[in-house]
Amino acid sequence: MRAAIVLPRRSGGLPPQFWRWLCLPPLAALLIWLILGLGGGQWTVPDWQDPLVSRLRWPRILNALLVGSALSLAGAGLQALFRNPLADPGLLGTSAGSALGVVLVIALGGLGVSVPLAAFVGGLAVTMLILLLNQLLRGGQAGLLMIGVVIGASCAAMVSLLLFLSDDLTLRGASNWLAGSLAESRFADHQYVWPVMLVGAVLMLALGRDLDCLLLGDEVARSMGVRVGRTRVLAAMAAAMLTGGAVTLSGLIGFIGMMVPNAVALCHQGSRRQLMLHAGWVGALTLLLIDTLGREVVYPVDLPAGVVAAFAGPPCFLWLFWRLHKGGGRG
C-alpha cells in the first residue's frame, strides 16, 4: 500500500498581523466610547454637548492614550538599547530626569524655558549620563540598571529639595503632579507636547532595525553596518522626547514602559519595530484602563494613575527578574 502524501495547503488568507491591525482600532474606539460615558459609578450614553464629557473626560482620555503610548514605546526602545527586559523610563532614571527639569522650571519661576523643553533636556541628560557612566565603569547590563536606579534616586532627592525650599502653593501643585495624575488634563497642554512626542516616536520606529541588531551585541551590530554610537545617541534622544512629553502631561507614572512591552512580547513574534508599534497601542489602552480604575473603584476619591500603576508594577518587575534568571539570562 502506498503511503498517502499529504501536501500542505496554501493559505490564501491574509496574515494574522493584518487582522490584528484591522480589529484593534474598532475595539479601541469602543473602549473609549464606553469610558466616555462612565462617571460617578454609573454609565450613560456620552453626550458631546455635555461639558463634563467634552471638557473633562475627553481631554483626560486623550492624555491617558498619549502618555501610555509614549511610555510603552520608549520602554520597548530602551529595552533593546540596553539589552535588558527590565529597562523602563522610570527605573533607568529618564522619567526622574524629566521631572527634575520640570520642577526646576516650576520652582525657579520659568527661567525662560518651556516645560516640554525642560522635560526633554532633563530626560536626555540623565539618559546620556547613565550610558556614559556605564561605559566608563564597564558595568554591563546589571550595572546599567543599578546606575539608572542610583541616578534616578539622586534626581528624586534633588526634586524633593527644590520642593522643600518652595512655597506651599508650588509644593501642593507639584505633589499632585508627581503622583502621576491625569485629572487636570487640558487641550492646551496637548498642542505643545504631542509634536515632540510624535518626533520621538517616528525617530524610535525608524531605528527599529538598528535596535534589532544591537540586541545581538555591539560587535555583531557593527558587522551588520550599524553605527552603534550614533544609534545609541538617537535612541536616547527619542526616548527622552517620548518620556519628557509624557512627564509634562501627567507627571511620574512608573512601570508602564516595562510591563507593556514584555506583555506584548509574550504573544508577539516579529521585529522590534513591530513590537514597538503593538506596545504603543496596548500601552495607550492599558493606561486608560488604569486611570479609569483609579477614578471609579473608590469613588468619589480620584486615585492618580501613577499610584495605581505603582501597585501593579513591583510584582511584574519581580516576575520578570525571576524569569530572566531562571532562563539563564545575564543580569
Side-chain angles (χ1 to χ4, degrees):
M1 180 181 296
R2 297 177 60 185
I5 301 176
V6 180
L7 298 176
R9 294 183 179 180
R10 295 184 60 186
S11 176
L14 295 169
Q17 291 84 353
F18 174 83
W19 297 109
R20 194 177 302 161
W21 286 110
L22 184 66
C23 296
L24 196 54
L27 290 176
L30 176 61
L31 178 63
I32 292 171
W33 182 74
L34 290 173
I35 292 178
L36 269 175
L38 186 63
Q42 58 184 0
W43 187 85
T44 56
V45 177
D47 180 10
W48 285 103
Q49 303 300 322
D50 185 357
L52 186 65
V53 174
S54 60
R55 297 183 182 179
L56 292 179
R57 293 181 189 169
W58 176 236
R60 183 167 181 165
I61 288 174
L62 181 59
N63 211 18
L65 294 174
L66 286 173
V67 172
S69 179
L71 291 176
S72 300
L73 186 54
L78 289 174
Q79 287 163 17
L81 178 64
F82 295 142
R83 298 200 298 276
N84 193 326
L86 300 177
D88 172 84
L91 290 175
L92 289 173
T94 308
S95 294
S98 296
L100 177 59
V102 173
V103 170
L104 273 171
V105 170
I106 294 175
L108 301 181
L111 299 176
V113 179
S114 65
V115 170
L117 179 59
F120 164 67
V121 171
L124 178 61
V126 167
T127 304
M128 297 305 296
L129 177 61
I130 293 170
L131 285 172
L132 178 61
L133 289 176
N134 188 64
Q135 184 176 4
L136 292 175
L137 300 176
R138 302 175 184 267
Q141 294 184 31
L144 188 64
L145 185 61
M146 295 305 298
I147 292 172
V149 171
V150 171
I151 297 297
S154 300
C155 291
M158 295 179 67
V159 167
S160 299
L161 177 62
L162 287 170
L163 293 180
F164 178 78
L165 298 175
S166 301
D167 57 79
D168 291 340
L169 184 60
T170 302
L171 176 62
R172 191 179 303 113
S175 297
N176 186 45
W177 175 77
L178 289 173
S181 175
L182 300 171
E184 299 184 16
S185 305
R186 297 173 300 175
F187 287 119
D189 298 330
H190 298 148
Q191 67 182 356
Y192 294 110
V193 175
W194 76 259
V196 177
M197 299 170 73
L198 179 61
V199 172
V202 171
L203 179 58
M204 188 69 85
L205 291 172
L207 295 170
R209 177 190 173 275
D210 292 349
L211 292 175
D212 276 326
C213 296
L214 282 181
L215 284 170
L216 303 175
D218 290 356
E219 295 301 324
V220 176
R222 288 190 182 95
S223 68
M224 300 177 70
V226 176
R227 298 168 61 183
V228 174
R230 173 178 171 272
T231 299
R232 289 191 186 280
V233 171
L234 291 177
M237 290 180 62
M241 290 180 184
L242 290 165
T243 306
V247 169
T248 302
L249 291 177
S250 67
L252 296 179
I253 298 179
F255 297 105
I256 295 293
M258 180 193 65
M259 292 188 296
V260 172
N262 282 284
V264 172
L266 291 176
C267 55
H268 171 79
Q269 298 294 330
S271 67
R272 178 59 46 167
R273 183 179 291 116
Q274 293 175 340
L275 175 64
M276 290 190 291
L277 283 170
H278 283 90
W281 270 100
V282 176
L285 300 180
T286 298
L287 186 57
L288 178 59
L289 290 173
I290 286 176
D291 183 55
T292 304
L293 185 67
R295 179 165 56 94
E296 296 296 329
V297 167
V298 289
Y299 181 83
V301 178
D302 190 348
L303 289 177
V307 173
V308 180
F311 281 105
C316 179
F317 177 88
L318 293 174
W319 178 79
L320 285 171
F321 189 81
W322 170 80
R323 184 170 177 265
L324 180 65
H325 283 269
K326 181 184 178 183
R330 292 177 299 174

